[in-house]
């Protein structure tokens, strides 16, 4: 993984002051994302385009430097990510292209020359790249299928385009003036992230996952090259054959992601997904796997017992970093600086510390288990959808909603006060075939944050309906899929891409120059999972049923038998507790909240007082609102105030004469 940045400018500008200014602008952009690639920083100013790159050396440590050019055509690429099947692609292309390096970057050049931009359909990996073709003055952009690697862009006055792995690169280059996007914020508060291409900032867009773009003659064309398809006809329910195929695709996915010229370790949470990946990786590595985990001083969030069980049985070299409430509060400013968006949960903070811990231990690549819940129906949301669909067939029933108690045994409800369940989970029962049915409960719950908005801000975005925005972005044919298939598609489009892989994934990893790899998001694994009958993935209310069967004998029985433990981290204690950091007191003060103008200062003050009180009852709605306020305040603090340009230099900025 690396960082990329660049922009187009008028061609034929010569080597005068304008080109020198472009070089300085590109230097600042590249320097601003040096944390993503501390091993080398290089930039190249060509006739009509500037391309910058920060490198995290993982493949072909000596020969993979970027920007990389094809000597014959001048085709030039800057690339963030990994093409895991580059070895196989290189063999296919060997007769067409004279390779000079062993890098996957050069495979992109060769593949583009052979197949054009459709080459991305052949890539198995995670990527964001910009490719300049001087033959027709075209800038190509592309992003991987599920959005592991970010790619921001801005259309500039005069018919030009700028891009970067992070929005801060566009700000550092002076190409975009930072301003919060009110609609993007409102979408975030209800959906957990803006709906791409919208972002947290005005004038900054995000290339959606599975999309490429062509910029030529001042015009930008964005198009999709792949999509998740959960509407396929399920395979016949031959469990033994499906188990064999699952083993084949998953073991291949792990094997491809162990390809590196540096050691590859793994995150170990203590749940099924990471434990299974560790088991497969340990087998393929011959017993040398290193694993890393987060532990919490607060017992409510701690999973160290389960992590230790897995590490001991698999005999991994295991390390744990412990988090206290005060530690989390101190990390949050860095979380928001790297994530560049508001949030409702503190969960990314321990991941930022974990990547730092991993890097301190000499590791720069880790396997991680994101994507399994989305592909194999592991979330409670999918079980809720199944129960609510069953309930909707007889919405007057007093007994069907009580099935939800199997999901949440601590719910203080009974047959007599079933109206409590009806109120919370019963919305939309009159339209169970609607596209957003599966997510209405979650979106309604998080949408309660909107009650805390400042009146002036709320009026500015009164016509913005976040739910309508996301549903309008979904292809029409998805509405005709089965209920759980629709739920999977929405989950992948919203929470997975916009939050888990970005705010909690890429940004927390690359904030400390660590690359994450996601075997469950391998194309073959995803397409296999879509063909497995839902009753073999969610059997009754037993989530990831087929995956559990495959994992038997590979992970400890206690891991298979334990109830799913949702990952969380402290919020109220981290922000307003006794060990809360000074920044939280300052930025959550009424005058600071009023100055930013997103949240109502009086409501914020009352919420802080409520959660600061001894033995305060912490509802999820209150803690989510608190973190939304704190993260929004930090977003404004980091990006809306004038700051000096980055002082960190890059290794080289090369100007090539026109």
């Amino acid at each position: 993984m690396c960082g990329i940045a660049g922009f187009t400018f008028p061609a034929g500008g010569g080597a005068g002051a304008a080109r020198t200014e472009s070089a300085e602008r590109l230097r600042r952009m590249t320097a601003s994302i040096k944390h993503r690639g501390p091993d080398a920083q290089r930039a190249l100013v060509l006739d009509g385009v500037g391309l910058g790159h920060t490198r995290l050396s993982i493949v072909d440590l000596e020969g993979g430097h970027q920007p990389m050019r094809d000597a014959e055509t001048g085709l030039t690429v800057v690339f963030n990510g990994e093409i895991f099947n580059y070895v196989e692609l290189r063999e296919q292309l060997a007769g067409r292209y004279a390779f000079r390096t062993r890098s996957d970057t050069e495979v992109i050049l060769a593949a583009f020359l052979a197949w054009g931009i459709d080459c991305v359909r052949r890539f198995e990996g995670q990527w964001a790249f910009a490719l300049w073709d001087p033959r027709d003055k075209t800038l190509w952009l592309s992003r991987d299928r599920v959005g592991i690697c970010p790619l921001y862009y801005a259309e500039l006055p005069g018919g030009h385009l700028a891009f970067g792995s992070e929005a801060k690169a566009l700000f550092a280059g002076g190409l975009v003036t930072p301003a919060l996007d009110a609609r993007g914020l409102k979408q975030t508060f209800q959906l957990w992230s803006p709906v791409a291409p919208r972002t947290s900032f005005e004038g900054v867009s995000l290339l959606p996952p599975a999309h490429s773009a062509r910029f030529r003659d001042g015009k930008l064309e964005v198009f999709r090259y792949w999509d998740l398809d959960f509407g396929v006809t399920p395979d016949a329910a031959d469990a033994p054959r499906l188990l064999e195929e699952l083993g084949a695709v998953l073991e291949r996915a792990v094997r491809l992601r162990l390809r590196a010229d540096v050691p590859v370790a793994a995150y170990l949470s203590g749940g099924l997904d990471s434990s299974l990946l560790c088991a497969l990786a340990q087998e393929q590595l011959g017993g040398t796997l290193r694993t890393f985990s987060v532990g919490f001083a607060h017992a409510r969030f701690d999973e160290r017992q389960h992590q230790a069980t897995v590490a001991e049985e698999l005999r991994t070299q295991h390390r744990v970093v412990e988090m206290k409430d005060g530690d989390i509060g101190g990390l949050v400013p860095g979380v928001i600086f790297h994530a560049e968006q508001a949030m409702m949960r503190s969960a990314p903070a321990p991941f930022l510390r974990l990547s730092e811990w991993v890097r301190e231990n000499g590791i720069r690549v880790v396997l991680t288990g994101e994507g399994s819940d989305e592909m194999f129906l592991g979330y409670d949301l999918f079980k809720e959808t199944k129960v609510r669909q069953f309930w909707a067939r007889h919405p007057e029933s007093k007994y069907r909603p009580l099935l939800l108690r199997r999901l949440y045994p601590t719910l203080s409800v009974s047959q007599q006060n079933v109206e409590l369940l009806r109120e919370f989970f019963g919305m939309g029962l009159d339209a169970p075939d609607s596209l957003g049915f599966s997510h209405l409960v979650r979106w309604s719950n998080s949408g309660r944050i909107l009650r805390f908005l400042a009146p002036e801000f709320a009026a500015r975005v009164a016509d913005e309906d976040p739910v309508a925005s996301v549903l309008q972005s979904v292809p029409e044919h998805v509405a005709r899929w089965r209920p759980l298939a629709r739920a999977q598609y929405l989950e992948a489009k919203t929470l997975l891409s916009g939050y888990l892989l970005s705010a909690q994934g890429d940004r927390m990893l690359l904030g400390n120059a660590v690359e994450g790899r996601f075997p469950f998001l391998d194309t073959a694994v995803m397409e296999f999972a879509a063909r497995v009958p839902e009753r073999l993935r969610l059997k009754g209310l037993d989530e990831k049923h087929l995956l559990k069967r495959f994992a038997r004998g590979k992970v400890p029985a206690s891991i298979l038998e334990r109830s799913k433990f949702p990952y969380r981290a402290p919020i109220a204690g981290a922000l307003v507790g006794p060990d809360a950091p000074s920044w939280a007191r300052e930025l959550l003060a009424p005058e600071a909240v009023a100055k930013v103008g997103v949240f109502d200062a009086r409501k914020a003050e009352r919420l802080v007082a409520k959660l600061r009180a001894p033995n305060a009852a912490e509802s999820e709605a209150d803690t989510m609102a608190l973190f939304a306020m704190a993260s929004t305040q930090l977003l404004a603090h980091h990006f809306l105030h004038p700051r000096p340009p980055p002082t960190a230099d890059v290794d080289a900025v090369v100007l090539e004469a026109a």
Side-chain angles (χ1 to χ4, degrees):
M1 302 286 272
C2 308
I4 62 174
F7 54 91
T8 66
F9 56 86
R19 290 175 61 77
T20 301
E21 179 184 347
S22 294
E24 173 58 21
R25 191 185 301 275
L26 186 59
R27 184 200 68 78
R28 295 198 304 268
M29 294 176 71
T30 306
S32 73
I33 53 173
K34 188 174 181 177
H35 53 271
R36 298 182 67 91
D39 297 332
Q41 302 82 41
R42 297 187 177 188
L44 182 62
V45 179
L46 302 172
D47 186 27
V49 69
L51 301 171
H53 183 260
T54 68
R55 188 182 187 201
L56 177 60
S57 301
I58 291 173
V59 173
D60 192 4
L61 307 187
E62 298 299 324
H65 295 288
Q66 300 180 44
M68 185 176 287
R69 303 183 71 190
D70 173 59
E72 183 175 342
T73 63
L75 196 69
T76 308
V77 67
V78 285
F79 162 50
N80 167 33
E82 304 287 346
I83 307 300
F84 297 119
N85 63 335
Y86 76 98
V87 174
E88 292 78 8
L89 290 172
R90 181 188 174 100
E91 292 174 354
Q92 294 179 37
L93 294 162
R96 306 189 192 189
Y97 189 87
F99 286 94
R100 297 174 291 108
T101 73
R102 297 184 297 103
S103 69
D104 53 347
T105 306
E106 193 173 16
V107 168
I108 295 177
L109 288 176
F112 183 87
L113 289 170
W115 303 308
I117 195 60
D118 279 347
C119 64
V120 298
R121 300 175 186 271
R122 303 174 186 241
F123 293 166
E124 179 54 54
Q126 50 197 60
W127 70 84
F129 68 73
L131 193 151
W132 173 251
D133 192 340
R135 297 171 297 181
D136 58 4
K137 301 295 183 183
T138 299
L139 180 68
W140 294 93
L141 304 176
S142 185
R143 192 171 177 217
D144 65 72
R145 290 176 178 84
V146 289
I148 296 170
C149 298
L151 186 53
Y152 293 87
Y153 65 90
E155 297 184 69
L156 306 176
H160 294 286
L161 189 78
F163 65 88
S165 292
E166 300 182 11
K168 60 178 64 70
L170 306 177
F171 305 148
L175 298 168
V176 178
T177 300
L180 298 183
D181 187 301
R183 294 179 184 274
L185 286 176
K186 187 174 182 181
Q187 290 175 0
T188 300
F189 299 145
Q190 188 153 17
L191 307 174
W192 293 60
S193 69
V195 181
R198 190 175 292 278
T199 69
S200 302
F201 302 105
E202 292 182 0
V204 178
S205 298
L206 180 67
L207 187 67
H211 280 68
S212 296
R214 176 175 58 199
F215 184 75
R216 183 168 59 195
D217 297 329
K219 296 180 180 179
L220 179 69
E221 178 188 2
V222 179
F223 52 92
R224 179 185 291 277
Y225 63 83
W226 182 86
D227 201 3
L228 278 166
D229 187 358
F230 295 111
V232 297
T233 302
D235 282 349
D238 181 354
R241 179 181 60 80
L242 291 175
L243 282 170
E244 182 179 352
E245 187 176 351
L246 172 58
V249 295
L250 196 51
E251 288 168 6
R252 176 182 177 272
V254 172
R255 183 170 64 254
L256 286 179
R257 285 158 182 78
L258 290 174
R259 282 180 172 170
D261 294 333
V262 296
V264 178
Y267 281 174
L268 176 58
S269 69
L272 170 63
D273 307 327
S274 65
S275 300
L276 178 56
L277 292 185
C278 288
L280 297 176
Q282 181 72 311
E283 181 179 358
Q284 294 188 25
L285 291 173
T288 62
L289 181 67
R290 299 177 67 181
T291 52
F292 295 86
S293 298
V294 170
F296 290 94
H298 198 309
R300 173 186 170 192
F301 305 100
D302 195 51
E303 295 185 81
R304 275 178 287 188
Q305 174 186 346
H306 303 289
Q307 296 161 0
T309 297
V310 177
E312 182 177 351
E313 181 156 325
L314 298 182
R315 298 185 179 181
T316 68
Q317 302 172 47
H318 191 57
R319 299 287 185 274
V320 180
V321 60
E322 183 181 81
M323 302 296 301
K324 300 177 181 177
D325 286 8
D327 299 330
I328 292 171
L331 286 165
V332 172
V335 167
I336 304 305
F337 175 77
H338 288 297
E340 300 179 332
Q341 69 181 60
M343 298 182 192
M344 273 67 70
R345 287 204 174 134
S346 60
F351 280 115
L352 184 62
R353 177 65 183 105
L354 182 59
S355 66
E356 181 183 39
W357 174 245
V358 165
R359 186 75 188 194
E360 289 171 355
N361 279 268
I363 295 294
R364 57 180 67 185
V365 184
V366 292
L367 301 181
T368 181
E370 274 78 11
S372 174
D373 287 311
E374 291 79 5
M375 299 305 135
F376 292 94
L377 298 174
Y379 286 133
D380 285 341
L381 178 140
F382 299 127
K383 299 186 224 179
E384 287 175 10
T385 299
K386 192 170 184 177
V387 171
R388 292 175 67 237
Q389 286 283 339
F390 177 66
W391 180 9
R393 295 174 203 161
H394 295 284
E396 74 286 350
S397 172
K398 295 182 178 180
Y399 304 101
R400 293 193 175 204
L402 294 179
L403 288 170
L404 291 161
R405 296 192 67 184
R406 293 178 57 186
L407 306 184
Y408 308 108
T410 59
L411 281 175
S412 57
V413 294
S414 65
Q415 183 175 334
Q416 286 70 34
N417 62 4
V418 70
E419 289 305 316
L420 183 62
L421 276 174
R422 286 183 178 279
E423 181 181 352
F424 191 72
F425 291 104
M427 61 188 66
L429 291 183
D430 57 336
D433 292 329
S434 64
L435 178 58
F437 177 81
S438 58
H439 283 64
L440 290 179
V441 173
R442 176 194 290 167
W443 291 340
S444 175
N445 191 38
S446 55
R448 296 170 70 184
I449 293 169
L450 302 179
R451 298 178 303 168
F452 291 90
L453 294 179
E456 298 82 1
F457 182 88
R460 284 173 55 196
V461 292
D463 62 338
E464 169 62 41
D465 182 346
V467 172
S469 293
V470 71
L471 295 181
Q472 289 166 6
S473 70
V474 174
E476 290 184 7
H477 65 269
V478 174
R480 298 190 291 272
W481 290 357
R482 302 176 304 278
L484 285 178
R486 297 196 301 264
Q488 282 185 273
Y489 190 92
L490 284 174
E491 191 70 353
K493 182 176 180 64
T494 55
L495 196 72
L496 177 65
S497 175
Y499 175 74
L500 292 178
L501 294 177
S502 56
Q504 192 167 294
D506 171 89
R507 301 313 189 79
M508 300 305 102
L509 288 155
L510 270 297
N512 289 300
V514 174
E515 174 178 290
R517 296 181 174 184
F518 308 86
F520 285 112
L521 296 174
D522 179 274
T523 309
V525 173
M526 292 190 290
E527 293 178 347
F528 164 79
R531 299 196 318 270
V532 174
E534 289 170 354
R535 60 191 178 86
L536 286 180
R537 286 180 288 153
L538 182 57
K539 187 174 183 179
L541 295 180
D542 180 29
E543 78 278 359
K544 295 187 285 195
H545 177 75
L546 190 73
L547 196 65
K548 289 178 180 176
R549 289 180 61 175
F550 174 72
R552 288 174 188 165
K554 297 180 176 63
V555 304
S558 61
I559 301 301
L560 294 174
E561 295 164 1
R562 67 177 295 214
S563 300
K564 184 172 176 59
F565 187 87
Y567 169 68
R568 296 284 191 275
I571 294 179
L575 298 183
V576 298
D579 298 324
S582 59
W583 71 262
R585 292 192 296 273
E586 295 168 5
L587 293 185
L588 289 173
E591 58 273 16
V593 174
K595 184 176 181 180
V596 173
V598 174
F599 288 97
D600 184 289
R602 291 185 178 180
K603 290 182 179 179
E605 184 178 27
R606 288 197 293 267
L607 180 62
V608 168
K610 176 182 178 180
L611 293 175
R612 186 176 283 156
N615 302 315
E618 297 181 15
S619 72
E620 183 179 41
D622 284 346
T623 56
M624 288 175 66
L626 177 67
F627 205 82
M629 292 174 185
S631 59
T632 302
Q633 291 294 106
L634 282 167
L635 197 64
H637 173 76
H638 284 316
F639 296 106
L640 300 192
H641 303 294
R643 296 177 183 274
T647 57
D649 207 350
V650 300
D651 297 336
V653 179
V654 178
L655 281 74
E656 180 174 288

